[in-house]
Amino acid sequence: MAYVEAEYFGGTGSQVAAVWDGGRVFWGPERRERGPINHALRLLGVHRTDSHDEFGSVGLDRHRHLEDWLD
């Protein structure tokens, strides 16, 4: 299981991610400007494609904006 969080405004912000395995923290939590979410997804076995990073490969790019979650 992974926890992911991203907060950006005007191109500035950060990501936080952590991964659990068997109820124990396996990796993280890690906070950086870019990268923790894709790293957590890779640890879960997600692979990037030619046209999408890990974030996009699992469809999270459909929900980049809060308004997208309300539809």
Side-chain angles (χ1 to χ4, degrees):
M1 177 174 55
Y3 168 81
V4 299
E5 173 187 320
E7 185 169 347
Y8 291 95
F9 181 77
T12 302
S14 64
Q15 299 179 2
V16 179
V19 176
W20 286 262
D21 184 16
R24 293 179 167 230
V25 175
F26 175 75
W27 174 81
E30 184 167 324
R31 177 184 297 272
R32 286 190 284 146
E33 186 175 320
R34 303 236 184 265
I37 293 175
N38 280 335
H39 185 76
L41 292 171
R42 279 192 302 275
L43 290 172
L44 294 178
V46 175
H47 299 284
R48 62 184 310 128
T49 66
D50 290 339
S51 57
H52 292 93
D53 62 4
E54 294 83 358
F55 190 86
S57 293
V58 295
L60 291 173
D61 57 338
R62 295 176 302 160
H63 306 289
R64 288 191 187 270
H65 305 283
L66 179 60
E67 297 82 22
D68 297 338
W69 288 86
L70 302 175
D71 291 337

